[in-house]
């Protein structure tokens, strides 16, 4: 395992420290042994709690997984070949929500809307608590419906907001739906909530502010007309 070189390095350094500290006490074997044991134990505990041992292991394992994925992708000649390989995997493991989700992403990248919607639906069915699966499922239904909202799509996004009031995709889609239906007050409300989640000087924040301004302008025009 790659992480053990770091552990070995720390222990090597600790041995040098032990030699320096213990040498003056070499005549007292008990005291020397106690000091060495104490130093080694301190090094292990300190590294584990303060040296991010678990985080380091996670980093190494992520690097290994990324390298494995890169090596696998080198053997893939086309997106369709990758789709076929994943479908074969799902034949063996049909209950893999993550597998169906990845298949949906692949189909979506190839503009296969019906197939991607079916795959996202399967992922959502297997793990409805996964926010990412639910968002992609709802978005695929919206695309399949000629980018128009219906009660099923709106219900999914509303449920997402109940579970997570700061869910950005749900806020954005519900704001769009409200604006299209000339429900400008709700559109502004959704966009204002979304604006709080965006970095202040980001392009996203600027776009949201423009959308709010446009909705506010239309709302003011309506109020002036009604007056």
């Amino acid at each position: 395992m790659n992480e053990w070189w770091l552990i070995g390095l720390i222990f090597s350094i600790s041995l040098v420290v032990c030699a320096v500290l213990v040498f003056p006490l070499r005549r007292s074997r008990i005291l020397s042994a106690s000091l060495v044991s104490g130093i080694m134990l301190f090094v292990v505990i300190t590294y584990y709690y303060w040296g991010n041992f678990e985080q380091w292991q996670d980093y190494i394992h992520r690097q290994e997984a990324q390298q494995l994925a890169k090596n696998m992708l080198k053997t893939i000649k086309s997106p369709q070949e990758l789709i076929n390989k994943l479908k074969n995997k799902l034949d063996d493991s049909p209950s893999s929500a993550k597998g169906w989700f990845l298949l949906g992403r692949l189909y979506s990248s190839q503009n296969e809307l019906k197939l991607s919607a079916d795959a996202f639906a399967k992922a959502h069915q297997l793990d409805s608590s996964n926010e990412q699966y639910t968002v992609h499922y709802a978005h695929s239904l919206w695309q399949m419906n000629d980018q128009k909202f219906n009660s099923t799509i709106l219900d999914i996004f509303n449920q997402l907001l109940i579970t997570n009031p700061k869910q950005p995709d749900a806020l954005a889609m519900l704001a769009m739906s409200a604006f299209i239906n000339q429900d400008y007050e709700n559109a502004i409300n959704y966009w204002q909530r979304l604006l709080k989640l965006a970095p202040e000087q980001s392009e996203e924040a600027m776009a949201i502010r423009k959308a709010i301004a446009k909705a506010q302008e239309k709302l003011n025009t309506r109020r002036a007309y009604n007056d």
Side-chain angles (χ1 to χ4, degrees), residues 39-221:
I39 291 173
M40 298 299 287
L41 182 61
F42 175 77
V43 168
V44 172
I45 293 174
T46 301
Y47 179 70
Y48 184 81
Y49 285 102
W50 300 102
N52 293 324
F53 180 70
E54 291 181 335
Q55 288 88 336
W56 173 258
Q57 283 187 314
D58 289 341
Y59 171 76
I60 291 295
H61 295 156
R62 285 197 303 270
Q63 292 293 102
E64 291 174 348
Q66 289 175 4
Q67 187 60 47
L68 183 62
K70 288 180 181 178
N71 292 339
M72 185 187 73
L73 288 174
K74 289 179 181 178
T75 67
I76 304 298
K77 297 180 180 179
S78 69
Q80 188 58 49
E81 184 178 350
L82 185 56
I83 288 173
N84 292 337
K85 285 181 178 291
L86 186 52
K87 286 172 65 178
N88 290 335
K89 286 284 187 181
L90 287 170
D91 287 339
D92 297 330
S93 305
S95 60
S96 171
K98 186 175 183 179
W100 287 106
F101 173 72
L102 292 175
L103 183 62
R105 293 291 298 270
L106 286 170
Y107 277 135
S108 182
S109 70
Q110 301 304 301
N111 204 32
E112 296 282 0
L113 299 183
K114 178 64 169 62
L115 293 174
S116 69
D118 290 343
F120 287 138
K122 190 69 175 178
H124 175 69
Q125 178 185 352
L126 290 168
D127 187 2
S128 59
S129 64
N130 188 298
E131 193 173 274
Q132 191 177 26
Y133 299 169
T134 304
V135 167
H136 280 78
Y137 171 54
H139 194 266
S140 69
L141 293 178
W142 177 72
Q143 287 185 309
M144 284 290 295
N145 197 41
D146 296 325
Q147 297 187 353
K148 296 177 182 177
F149 293 92
N150 58 32
S151 59
T152 300
I153 298 169
L154 292 174
D155 285 346
I156 294 173
F157 282 122
N158 278 312
Q159 187 59 47
L160 277 168
L161 276 192
I162 292 174
T163 305
N164 177 10
K166 294 183 178 180
Q167 214 297 316
D169 299 281
L171 288 170
M173 295 298 280
L174 290 173
M176 185 192 306
S177 174
F179 184 85
I180 291 171
N181 289 291
Q182 300 181 5
D183 184 2
Y184 302 122
E185 289 182 342
N186 271 326
I188 291 170
N189 177 266
Y190 286 128
W191 275 322
Q192 285 177 336
R193 290 165 63 183
L194 185 61
L195 183 60
K196 294 178 181 178
L197 305 177
E200 188 172 350
Q201 302 301 325
S202 65
E203 293 182 3
E204 291 82 359
M206 293 175 61
I208 295 169
R209 291 190 188 98
K210 289 180 180 179
I212 292 173
K214 188 172 183 178
Q216 188 64 58
E217 180 183 351
K218 288 186 174 293
L219 183 60
N220 292 340
T221 301

